[in-house]
Amino acid sequence: MTSIEAPILILGGTGTVGSRIASQLASQGIPTLIASRNPPPSSSLSHVNFDWDDPYTWEPIFLSKTNSTEGTTTEPEQAQQSSKPQPAPQPIKSVYLVAPPSLSGDRPMIEFIDFARSRGVHRFILQSASSIEAGGPLMGKVHAYLRELGQRGDVEWGVLRPTWFQQNIAEQPTHKESIRSESKIYSATEDGKIPWVSADDIASVAVRALTGEEAPNTEWMVLGPELLSYDEIAEILTEVLGRKIVHVDLSSAELEKRHARFGMPEEYARMMSAMDTAIKFGAENRTNDVIFSVTGTAPKKFRDYAMSVKDVWETRMEGMGLEGKA
């Protein structure tokens, strides 16, 4: 009888980084289980429904595939099923943790870590952020908890602290829509610089952390290869798109209101605005070689990413073939 390798669990496996991790794992033939509220739009990967706020969705992750059923069952069916042997627990090799979009998301994350440990999981890799230290808010509390467990020898662990994603410029509505319809990009960073990082590179680092013979058992600051201000991002977009893109520098209060207009909760909008203020004063003015040292591949540059997705910023007139000629 051949043994089946335990899968790697990707929480938030349909998100910007999680979906890329799942894709990279699948390309290497590594069993992968995606857990999210909604299944991926098109994927042959295994998926299970998961909700941080609903612990009843946690247990099915750790049951063998034979136990998963779709829909509901009648009472006679339930009685018939209850007489059958119970499925064996499904081992999970390692877990990638992505926080829920909540300012109190640390509580269910810590509870889930304990739950998963009770089901035999020994390695946890957390996606945090470059701006959040261990013990800080949100993922910072989870970071500190994993570090404590690791120091006691209870788990293998790692924390990825990526900086701002290059993909934000093309995928976040606040940026994508303003670039497309106004030829403007807004921030409250003045001339502060950011080592913009590719989500593909973050995923590559995560795959090493999840699958390596030894876990990182530390934090990795995952930064891009070049420091660019929003003014410089606008200059690159100008060259890529062939029309003038302007960076509009807002006050912190103005940016907070802008986030709110796009539906962001008030507290979250305040936090995001504060992060821009930190960038203005140099909080992200740093880079390193983590991506290359971990993966052996040079990190991607923003210009290359912008060239690959420039159609998303195409104006309506350009989309109708009415763009101006040089």
Side-chain angles (χ1 to χ4, degrees), residues 1-306:
M1 184 173 68
T2 59
S3 61
I4 299 175
E5 184 181 353
I8 290 174
L9 175 64
I10 310 297
L11 301 180
T14 59
T16 301
V17 176
S19 61
R20 287 169 166 81
I21 295 172
S23 177
Q24 290 188 28
L25 290 171
S27 70
Q28 298 176 36
I30 298 173
T32 305
L33 180 61
I34 294 174
S36 61
R37 288 185 179 181
N38 301 304
S42 59
S43 175
S44 59
L45 299 175
S46 298
H47 173 266
V48 63
N49 182 59
F50 177 81
D51 188 336
W52 283 113
D53 296 324
D54 183 3
Y56 288 104
T57 66
W58 300 0
E59 181 70 38
I61 293 173
F62 300 95
L63 298 179
S64 63
K65 217 169 181 182
T66 57
N67 190 46
S68 62
T69 58
E70 297 189 12
T72 58
T73 58
T74 64
E75 289 186 11
E77 288 172 331
Q78 291 172 348
Q80 186 178 20
Q81 289 174 1
S82 65
S83 64
K84 296 180 180 179
Q86 292 299 307
Q90 171 177 245
I92 297 292
K93 182 176 181 179
S94 54
V95 176
Y96 191 73
L97 300 159
V98 179
S102 167
L103 292 178
S104 58
D106 55 288
R107 178 188 55 77
M109 293 186 78
I110 289 173
E111 291 176 357
F112 180 83
I113 290 169
D114 289 340
F115 183 84
R117 288 174 58 215
S118 73
R119 298 303 188 273
V121 179
H122 192 57
R123 182 179 297 192
F124 298 87
I125 305 300
L126 169 69
Q127 179 178 307
S128 184
S130 60
S131 58
I132 300 178
E133 302 283 347
L138 303 173
M139 297 86 77
K141 295 177 182 177
V142 185
H143 181 166
Y145 185 62
L146 285 175
R147 184 177 62 185
E148 178 185 340
L149 292 175
Q151 290 170 344
R152 298 204 308 251
D154 293 339
V155 301
E156 297 178 332
W157 66 285
V159 176
L160 307 190
R161 294 179 57 195
T163 186
W164 297 81
F165 299 178
Q166 295 173 6
Q167 282 71 16
N168 290 355
I169 306 299
E171 297 178 7
Q172 285 189 352
T174 51
H175 289 322
K176 182 175 71 173
E177 296 304 324
S178 67
I179 294 169
R180 182 162 57 187
S181 62
E182 304 175 51
S183 294
K184 295 178 181 178
I185 185 167
Y186 295 84
S187 86
T189 60
E190 290 190 359
D191 58 356
K193 293 181 180 287
I194 300 169
W196 299 89
V197 68
S198 167
D200 294 313
D201 290 329
I202 301 168
S204 296
V205 172
V207 167
R208 273 37 171 217
L210 290 162
T211 63
E213 187 173 336
E214 295 184 3
N217 294 320
T218 188
E219 65 173 53
W220 282 340
M221 194 79 73
V222 187
L223 310 177
E226 53 190 349
L227 291 165
L228 298 172
S229 66
Y230 271 90
D231 282 340
E232 290 167 319
I233 290 289
E235 290 173 5
I236 291 172
L237 291 175
T238 294
E239 295 169 7
V240 167
L241 299 177
R243 69 178 195 272
K244 182 67 175 177
I245 306 298
V246 177
H247 169 222
V248 179
D249 189 60
L250 303 175
S251 69
S252 179
E254 289 171 334
L255 183 63
E256 187 177 327
K257 291 178 181 178
R258 177 174 170 78
H259 285 318
R261 286 200 301 272
F262 277 83
M264 190 177 289
E266 182 179 346
E267 286 186 70
Y268 209 82
R270 187 176 302 118
M271 181 187 72
M272 295 298 291
S273 178
M275 287 182 176
D276 266 31
T277 299
I279 292 169
K280 177 170 68 174
F281 291 109
E284 295 290 339
N285 195 352
R286 55 194 171 185
T287 189
N288 61 24
D289 65 351
V290 164
I291 292 171
F292 181 77
S293 64
V294 172
T295 69
T297 302
K300 295 177 170 61
K301 294 185 176 182
F302 177 75
R303 181 185 297 274
D304 296 330
Y305 171 70

